[in-house]
Amino acid sequence: MSLSLESTTNIPQISLIPAIRQPIVDASPNDIDLYEVLGISRNASKAEVKKAYHKAALSSHPDKVNESERASAEIKFKSVSKAYEILSDDDKRELYNAQGMSAFEAGNRGGMDADVDLEDLLAQMFGMGGGMGGMNGGGPRAPGPRKPRKGEDEEHPYNVTLEELYKGKTTKFASKKNVICSLCKGKGGKEKSKPKECVACHGRGMQQGLKSVGPGLVTQETVICRSCKGTGNIYRDKDRCKKCKGERVVEEKKVLEIYIPRGSKEGDKLVLEGEADQLPDQEPGSIIFSLVETEHSTFRRAGPDLSAEVHISLSEALCGFSRTLVKHLDGRGIHVKHPQKSGGPLKPRSVIKVPGEGMPIKKSDLRGDLYLIINVDFPDSNWLKQHSRIEKLKELLPEPANPVEAETVDEVEYVENADIESFGAADDGEQWEDEDEEDGGGQTQCAQQ
């Protein structure tokens, strides 16, 4: 599946082709010791087999482990389930003891199907449905048709500007995805034609493989058969569907639309239900876009609030002002009237709060607040050259602070506009050297006795 967003600028195409895991190496069925899988002896009773399975199933169930360990836990759980399915049946156990796992290969359906349903196994053993959640009071699984498995969701980042999050946005994009072939209804073959069993997987659609989980440590896993792509059957070339060429799905173009609500934030997810690739006997997954907010040149966001740095002149800081300080995300100018207050000039890094001019809050008419951080721009060095005006300015400004008192006072010279980065630069780590050492070659000689 692939997506391309429609806009006034060219946006690169996004590839959404799901990867299919392939087996690392085929594992021989005869290498599997079902008694060892359950941790029991070969002469264990049926009650001991059931008890061992109960314990192993609980400890290895995918819902009981961390997300990172879930894949390996599911493989182990299936192996435990397969061991119980065979060893709990007298006929199958006798067959296994005589011939090993080879008795359940190559068309012999005495073994458990590779596509085992975990919920059915738990319902048979423990009388519960819905996975491990049934242990909290769930009853047996209700009869009726099994719900189709859901395909994988496809998640992708989607960059949005702060303006788009403020105003909201609707975007259309062209989608190319796989849909079930309408001619063969997802079979892959012509009408009335019959497929033959896949030789590679013996009709199971899955193969056993070994997966490395650490240095010198491997585990068994079940992977999709590469030959039949999980169907268990293969059509001859002449019997394949003319439309899908036996692939069971065809590519279809569709225009989809996503809406970004006003006030959305980074990390929000936009879900298009059922719009991922289709596969026969599966409920299609969803396309999920995760919003990524790009940095703005003026505004910073914290929850529903916004902040921006604005500049005013020294005269405005002292005398007040009434003007537009900033252009908002929707293009409006934010005009602030700040009259001069007696003894109250605006100091550098002062903050003005404008209620209700922050980000919209989703699903409401409320908004956050806007915080304006004041920077005072001082005039250039040559702005006032007449000495008489300087004296008048002194009369208007407050008196200087009380002078520092000291017994001895030195009048020093200074450098204007010094760089603070040079502070501490004189300490270059050099150590004091003796002048005699510099003159005499640096080595001391013993005097002759």
Side-chain angles (χ1 to χ4, degrees):
M1 179 176 187
S2 61
L3 303 177
S4 58
L5 302 179
E6 294 182 350
S7 66
T8 55
T9 58
N10 293 327
I11 300 178
Q13 194 176 59
I14 305 172
S15 177
L16 298 180
I17 302 175
I20 299 179
R21 219 145 137 226
Q22 305 295 350
I24 298 173
V25 60
D26 291 337
S28 173
N30 295 320
D31 294 338
I32 302 174
D33 188 334
L34 300 184
Y35 293 99
E36 188 175 318
V37 171
L38 292 181
I40 56 177
S41 62
R42 298 186 71 85
N43 59 355
S45 65
K46 294 185 70 172
E48 290 174 327
V49 172
K50 183 174 182 179
K51 181 178 180 181
Y53 172 66
H54 188 288
K55 180 179 179 181
L58 291 179
S59 62
S60 62
H61 193 277
D63 291 345
K64 301 285 286 185
V65 299
N66 296 329
E67 183 71 26
S68 59
E69 303 173 355
R70 190 158 295 173
S72 58
E74 184 169 341
I75 295 170
K76 183 178 179 182
F77 182 84
K78 288 184 177 182
S79 299
V80 169
S81 302
K82 176 184 285 187
Y84 174 76
E85 197 269 347
I86 294 176
L87 298 182
S88 62
D89 184 280
D90 293 336
D91 295 334
K92 293 179 182 179
R93 183 172 181 178
E94 183 178 354
L95 193 60
Y96 170 75
N97 290 338
Q99 303 179 34
M101 287 300 294
S102 60
F104 305 94
E105 298 296 316
N108 189 332
R109 291 295 179 175
M112 190 177 81
D113 188 10
D115 195 16
V116 62
D117 191 291
L118 304 185
E119 293 188 0
D120 285 345
L121 283 169
L122 289 173
Q124 292 173 13
M125 282 301 302
F126 312 122
M128 59 186 180
M132 297 303 291
M135 288 186 145
N136 297 325
R141 185 172 180 170
R146 180 181 301 173
K147 184 180 180 181
R149 291 180 300 167
K150 185 177 181 181
E152 291 186 2
D153 294 333
E154 298 164 358
E155 186 166 345
H156 301 273
Y158 184 74
N159 293 331
V160 286
T161 64
L162 195 55
E163 285 89 349
E164 292 169 340
L165 295 175
Y166 183 85
K167 297 182 291 185
K169 180 184 179 182
T170 299
T171 299
K172 293 183 178 180
F173 61 93
S175 167
K176 291 182 180 180
K177 69 175 184 177
N178 292 330
V179 297
I180 296 174
C181 178
S182 59
L183 182 60
C184 66
K185 309 301 181 184
K187 290 173 53 181
K190 297 179 180 178
E191 189 177 0
K192 296 182 180 180
S193 63
K194 293 184 178 181
K196 62 179 182 178
E197 185 179 89
C198 177
V199 178
C201 65
H202 307 294
R204 293 190 302 274
M206 308 293 286
Q207 290 178 305
Q208 295 296 317
L210 295 179
K211 176 185 176 183
S212 176
V213 293
L217 185 62
V218 295
T219 184
Q220 190 180 40
E221 68 173 350
T222 303
V223 293
I224 296 175
C225 176
R226 286 178 291 183
S227 299
C228 66
K229 299 180 181 178
T231 64
N233 301 311
I234 294 180
Y235 284 94
R236 292 177 296 181
D237 290 344
K238 67 176 184 177
D239 293 332
R240 291 178 181 173
C241 173
K242 292 183 178 180
K243 185 175 182 180
C244 67
K245 310 301 181 184
E247 296 294 330
R248 303 190 297 161
V249 294
V250 294
E251 189 177 80
E252 180 182 79
K253 295 182 179 180
K254 185 178 180 181
V255 176
L256 300 176
E257 184 177 280
I258 57 174
Y259 171 64
I260 303 173
R262 294 185 312 127
S264 298
K265 60 182 182 299
E266 177 160 349
D268 284 358
K269 297 183 184 300
L270 308 177
V271 181
L272 298 178
E273 293 283 352
E275 293 295 348
D277 285 326
Q278 296 180 6
L279 284 174
D281 304 321
Q282 274 194 15
E283 179 186 345
S286 302
I287 301 175
I288 303 175
F289 289 101
S290 295
L291 298 184
V292 179
E293 180 184 317
T294 58
E295 185 176 353
H296 198 271
S297 59
T298 302
F299 294 95
R300 297 292 179 269
R301 180 182 185 179
D305 296 332
L306 291 172
S307 69
E309 301 217 3
V310 297
H311 292 260
I312 63 174
S313 66
L314 178 59
S315 62
E316 288 176 320
L318 296 174
C319 306
F321 60 88
S322 177
R323 67 178 177 91
T324 300
L325 289 182
V326 67
K327 186 178 180 180
H328 214 313
L329 295 168
D330 57 359
R332 293 179 298 119
I334 300 300
H335 188 279
V336 175
K337 184 177 182 180
H338 187 275
Q340 194 277 338
K341 298 179 180 179
S342 178
L346 275 177
K347 300 178 181 179
R349 310 306 294 176
S350 297
V351 177
I352 295 176
K353 175 181 174 180
V354 185
E357 286 295 346
M359 293 293 294
I361 299 176
K362 286 198 301 184
K363 299 180 181 179
S364 75
D365 295 329
L366 301 177
R367 293 175 181 265
D369 300 326
L370 172 62
Y371 293 80
L372 300 177
I373 303 170
I374 303 299
N375 292 294
V376 179
D377 296 333
F378 279 72
D380 296 333
S381 57
N382 59 349
W383 72 282
L384 187 60
K385 295 181 179 180
Q386 297 181 12
H387 185 75
S388 59
R389 292 187 176 181
I390 295 177
E391 293 301 324
K392 291 181 179 180
L393 183 60
K394 286 182 179 180
E395 295 176 1
L396 296 174
L397 295 176
E399 293 289 333
N402 294 329
V404 177
E405 296 183 359
E407 294 182 0
T408 303
V409 176
D410 289 337
E411 186 172 343
V412 297
E413 295 181 355
Y414 60 90
V415 177
E416 291 188 18
N417 301 321
D419 187 0
I420 191 61
E421 296 296 330
S422 62
F423 176 69
D427 184 13
D428 56 3
E430 293 185 3
Q431 297 185 1
W432 173 78
E433 295 182 359
D434 194 300
E435 293 182 358
D436 294 337
E437 290 185 1
E438 293 182 359
D439 297 338
Q443 291 191 4
T444 304
Q445 298 182 0
C446 297
Q448 299 270 337
Q449 295 292 335

